[in-house]
Amino acid sequence: MTSFASSSLKAILGPTNTGKTHFAIERMLAHRTGMIGLPLRLLAREVYQKLVDRIGAQHVALVTGEERIVPAAPRYWVATVEAMPLDVPVECVAIDEIQVATDFDRGHVFTNRILHARGLSETLLLGAATMAPVIRKLLPDAEIIHRPRFSTLTYAGSKKISRQPHRTAIVAFSATQVYAIAELLRRERGGAAVVMGALSPRTRNAQVELYQNRDVEFLVATDAIGMGLNLDVHHVAFADNTKFDGHQSRPLTPAELGQIAGRAGRHMHNGTFGVTGQCDEFDEELVQRLETHDFEPIRMLQWRNTELDFSSVQALLGSLERVPEHRSLTRVPIATDQHAVEFLSRNEAGRLATNRASIELLWSCCQIPDYVDVSPAQHGEIITRVFTDLARRGHVNADWIAEQIRFCDNVTGDIDTLSNRMRQIRTWTFVANRKNWLEDPAHWREKTRNIEDRLSDALHERLTQRFVDRRTSVLMRHLRDKHMVSPEVNDRGEVSLEGHLIGSIEGLRFTLARSEDGDAKGLRNAASQAVAPEIAKRADRITGAPNEEFVLG
């Protein structure tokens, strides 16, 4: 995408809940063509669906590492930042969450888009207000527009996990923590939905639907919710304030805490944030910074050379080591793809990369993400096999791919087993979506997508079974929704609501069904209120019955 002199460049900066992404979508739709780059596959899916609902699927393309929906003549492109098709000229380009340019793993890609991705008429850079100083230095011609938050954010102190208010998102930074908190909420409050970045869009959407439909009143999430996912959250509670960032375990910065806390209170509704579990109370200075969105400005972005030398593998590695010339840029630490090049350069793959075309192909293969998070050597073996097949045959061996995919095609097992298979199928979905890597790419895209969908549904089912007490959630919903069907009583006196046994009634006495978790707080009250009309009906029958129907026993 080439920049034209007349093209306007704007940085739309501000805290969460300022409507930046919504503004960018409206601006993009005001042009005949446009493209928006988003930080998460989940978010790209969400924006794609919004555009499809508004203007029709024939006008919108979706491109992520693992998904490619491109109609015959799309006018608007929605993509993850890494997957943006930069060779497609469009009038308006928007890059969301530009502060990710500080990230050690992905930051250099965001920096590249900030510096080079341009619309023919308009370019919008969206992100945190902390980016203003570095944008001024790197892009002195950019117009910086600050947007205020629509609602206020207030600190609510510390509360036990079991005493959190309804419509709370509890944030933790490991799957183990997320699961433990969700288990506690199931026992104490009827359950919780679970949202993590590793979930597929399909699983995540199904879990969010549980929460948005108010089947459960709580959400337990990682910092994935900090990236623009719009949810009906009134309160954010931090169960921890440290995370492992891929390199070390470290405290979250005030800006990172602010990004997550800002998910509380959407649009004009005010929100609160606090701490829970083992997380220490926030000190006064931190609270003030979070409430006023006052954070240290970002002064340095991660950068990596994109003008690569493909004359030899060693030349490629040398060009990746180049240092930036601008003082506001720093060379990114060695990334997974560079480790992969080094690994392949030492084995048989290195001997096959002898000319520009084969070295470019080797570099493309090294872009396969390590979704499973295996050792560099194991990941390198997968890339070696893909590259050697492509270099020798012109396509990846179909029997080998079929064997890898068959291993993932199994929806039995627990949450961790299904999550692991999900990560593995994402690798093969990525491979299937590369141009000309497979003999029958349409077949393999369909196959991998089908497996991911079935794994997603199975994972959603397991998460719900483990972390949602369906009986409690249906009773709680019955209290709120007066249009729900009344409980059914069979001839044995068993009381059911939407197919869930909630207890039994004998005469005027109701007995709550036993639960393996023990009775959740509020459950007995909710059940009693649900059967109250039936008891009132029985009492009316007694008071209205003639004397001869009464028998002394």
Side-chain angles (χ1 to χ4, degrees), residues 239-257:
D240 199 354
N241 59 358
T242 61
K243 66 179 277 191
F244 181 72
D245 63 6
H247 299 270
Q248 61 180 344
S249 192
R250 61 168 179 81
L252 271 80
T253 65
E256 288 170 328
L257 291 169

Side-chain angles (χ1 to χ4, degrees), residues 135 174 186 199 213 222 259 266 299 326 343 371 401 403 462 471 478 532:
I135 291 292
S174 71
R186 183 188 198 276
L199 297 181
N213 289 348
T222 58
Q259 182 79 17
R266 304 307 295 154
R299 303 197 183 280
H326 200 287
F343 181 86
Y371 293 118
I401 277 281
E403 187 185 330
R462 299 295 190 287
R471 183 180 64 148
H478 187 274

Side-chain angles (χ1 to χ4, degrees), residues 176-189:
T176 308
Q177 262 188 317
V178 166
Y179 294 160
I181 292 165
E183 289 268 20
L184 176 62
L185 287 169
R186 183 188 198 276
R187 290 196 305 272
E188 300 281 345
R189 306 293 293 275

Side-chain angles (χ1 to χ4, degrees), residues 13 55 82 200 260 265 533:
L13 306 179
I55 61 171
E82 284 86 346
S200 70
I260 299 164

Side-chain angles (χ1 to χ4, degrees), residues 221-232:
T222 58
D223 50 346
I225 68 161
M227 285 289 184
L229 299 178
N230 295 316
L231 302 162
D232 175 30

Side-chain angles (χ1 to χ4, degrees), residues 153-189:
L153 195 59
T154 314
Y155 184 57
S158 177
K159 264 199 186 88
K160 283 181 171 180
I161 289 170
S162 59
R163 294 183 180 277
Q164 292 299 322
H166 282 180
R167 314 316 285 161
T168 287
I170 299 176
V171 181
F173 297 97
S174 71
T176 308
Q177 262 188 317
V178 166
Y179 294 160
I181 292 165
E183 289 268 20
L184 176 62
L185 287 169
R186 183 188 198 276
R187 290 196 305 272
E188 300 281 345
R189 306 293 293 275

Side-chain angles (χ1 to χ4, degrees), residues 199-207 411 418 422 449-465:
L199 297 181
S200 70
R202 192 179 174 100
T203 307
R204 170 260 174 187
N205 289 344
Q207 285 289 301
V411 295
L418 290 171
M422 182 82 76
R449 178 70 188 273
N450 178 265
I451 292 171
E452 183 178 310
D453 283 352
R454 288 188 294 107
L455 285 170
S456 296
D457 293 343
L459 182 55
H460 168 62
E461 194 182 306
R462 299 295 190 287
L463 288 167
T464 305
Q465 280 173 357

Side-chain angles (χ1 to χ4, degrees), residues 97-116:
E97 305 287 7
I98 57 170
Q99 69 277 3
V100 179
T102 59
D103 183 80
F104 286 152
D105 293 319
R106 309 173 64 203
H108 64 283
V109 182
F110 280 75
T111 301
N112 176 266
R113 306 298 183 256
I114 290 166
L115 295 176
H116 304 297

